[in-house]
Amino acid sequence: MDIAIKRATFPFAIGQWQRYIIYFVFVGLFVFFSIFLHDKGFLQAGNLMNIARQTAMISIMAVGMTFVLSAAEIDLSFGAVVALSAVTVALLLPYGMIVAVPAALLVGALCGLINGLFVSKVGIPSFLVTLGMTGIITGITRWVTDLQTIPVDNETFAFIFGSGDIGPISVLFIWMMVIAAGGHVLLRKTSFGKEVLASGGNKISAMYSGINVNRVKLYVLVLNSTLAALAGILYAGRLQSARYTLGESDLMMVIAAVIIGGTSLFGGKGTVIGALIGALIMGMVNNGLVLMGLNVDQQLILRGIIIIFAVTMTMGTLRKKKKS
């Protein structure tokens, strides 16, 4: 009987270890940088808040991408949505924030709606739809701006959406935590979140259970683009300007954060908190590499290695589940 109990509990222990490994990695990296970069100010409150500030937009986009990947879809256009929404809010700010901010969010939601309709109604794979939309959105942004930077000189807007601090806490950190908390509740505590995970885990079973899988796909793509639009607004507020190149390099960072955080690339499994931790890990690594004196090229190489490693781990876990 003792042997039977050990056989039953050992896989559970392994599963629990795999579930929480992201938190061990986060703590381990933090301790590593704290020791080796202590003399370069890594542990200073200003630097730690700077990591959160630099990671905020990536974290917000990672929340949306968690829903997309959990539903077994992909969105390659969110980086282009970031730039278009930032440009939209910058161009409309002379008419007031009450016009500019909702308009920018609406632009993002509209891009997601177009993606979702082609995926859910026409049946085109999300990879191809969003790849095509990336070119369209980027072209519109370049055309509207004429490749020029649009300045943002509204101080109130800049304070609320990026540049402000409430005491020692950055406004961007507050935005990040609010969106992450909302995303976690939506995914884990609501029927919509359960439908997302069920649709991504097994589409046929979800349909037999009465779940409208196509509607779920539409909603997650709209949600993802809307959060990308919010990230674009925050970029405009933080940089006090908008440019067509915003969001270009975020695709790899966001997907890496989500996968490292424990969301399956193949659907059916997602964690918003894990995505947040994954984004903070990427931000902490970038910050540590900068303090070490490494250049951007070396940072890109390391990010690529992390993504390949994360995908390999995800595929290995999936194979183990299929065998069991």
Side-chain angles (χ1 to χ4, degrees):
M1 180 166 301
D2 291 340
I3 296 176
I5 293 175
K6 288 180 179 179
R7 288 178 177 175
T9 57
F10 182 70
F12 173 79
I14 294 297
Q16 290 294 93
W17 180 82
Q18 291 177 340
R19 180 181 177 183
Y20 295 110
I21 188 173
I22 181 66
Y23 304 103
F24 295 128
V25 171
F26 177 78
V27 173
L29 284 172
F30 183 82
V31 171
F32 174 81
F33 287 128
S34 299
I35 294 173
F36 289 96
L37 297 176
H38 178 75
D39 58 336
K40 296 187 178 181
F42 178 80
L43 283 177
Q44 290 182 0
N47 184 64
L48 296 178
M49 185 52 62
N50 190 46
I51 293 175
R53 187 180 292 111
Q54 293 174 346
T55 309
M57 280 72 81
I58 298 298
S59 300
I60 290 171
M61 288 184 279
V63 172
M65 185 57 68
T66 298
F67 281 85
V68 173
L69 291 181
S70 296
E73 298 297 333
I74 188 68
D75 186 353
L76 303 179
S77 65
F78 67 87
V81 172
V82 168
L84 181 59
S85 299
V87 167
T88 299
V89 77
L91 290 173
L92 294 180
L93 266 178
Y95 301 96
M97 283 193 297
I98 196 171
V99 173
V101 173
L105 292 174
L106 184 61
V107 165
L110 180 60
C111 293
L113 180 62
I114 295 172
N115 286 334
L117 289 175
F118 273 103
V119 171
S120 62
K121 301 299 182 182
V122 183
I124 303 176
S126 56
F127 176 87
L128 297 177
V129 172
T130 57
L131 182 63
M133 280 294 290
T134 299
I136 294 172
I137 297 170
T138 301
I140 292 174
T141 307
R142 292 167 63 97
W143 176 46
V144 169
T145 62
D146 196 24
L147 306 184
Q148 301 299 312
T149 299
I150 311 299
V152 172
D153 54 7
N154 188 315
E155 294 183 1
T156 303
F157 170 82
F159 180 89
I160 297 174
F161 293 98
S163 301
D165 294 301
I166 300 177
I169 307 299
S170 169
V171 168
L172 286 175
F173 178 77
I174 296 174
W175 275 107
M176 177 180 72
M177 297 308 296
V178 169
I179 297 299
H184 174 72
V185 171
L186 184 62
L187 185 62
R188 292 297 177 187
K189 305 297 182 181
T190 68
S191 58
F192 173 69
K194 295 176 182 178
E195 290 178 356
V196 170
L197 295 173
S199 299
N202 191 316
K203 178 181 177 180
I204 303 301
S205 297
M207 292 174 65
Y208 278 120
S209 299
I211 297 174
N212 190 330
V213 175
N214 287 330
R215 184 180 63 186
V216 170
K217 291 180 180 181
L218 175 65
Y219 286 173
V220 297
L221 288 168
V222 171
L223 174 63
N224 188 52
S225 289
T226 304
L227 290 179
L230 176 59
I233 294 170
L234 295 176
Y235 268 127
R238 182 189 173 205
L239 302 175
Q240 298 187 30
S241 64
R243 187 171 172 79
Y244 68 93
T245 54
L246 287 176
E248 276 186 350
S249 61
D250 289 342
L251 177 64
M252 186 165 62
M253 284 282 287
V254 171
I255 294 180
V258 174
I259 297 176
I260 290 171
T263 296
S264 173
L265 191 61
F266 309 101
K269 179 185 176 184
T271 163
V272 170
I273 301 301
L276 175 62
I277 298 299
L280 290 173
I281 286 176
M282 297 298 293
M284 186 164 53
V285 168
N286 287 342
N287 181 264
L289 293 179
V290 170
L291 292 178
M292 287 180 178
L294 300 182
N295 58 37
V296 176
D297 297 332
Q298 293 166 325
Q299 294 180 40
L300 288 173
I301 293 172
L302 182 61
R303 290 179 197 168
I305 292 173
I306 291 174
I307 292 175
I308 293 174
F309 176 76
V311 173
T312 302
M313 292 293 292
T314 301
M315 292 181 66
T317 303
L318 184 67
R319 290 194 188 100
K320 290 178 181 178
K321 288 183 177 180
K322 287 183 176 181
K323 289 180 180 180
S324 60

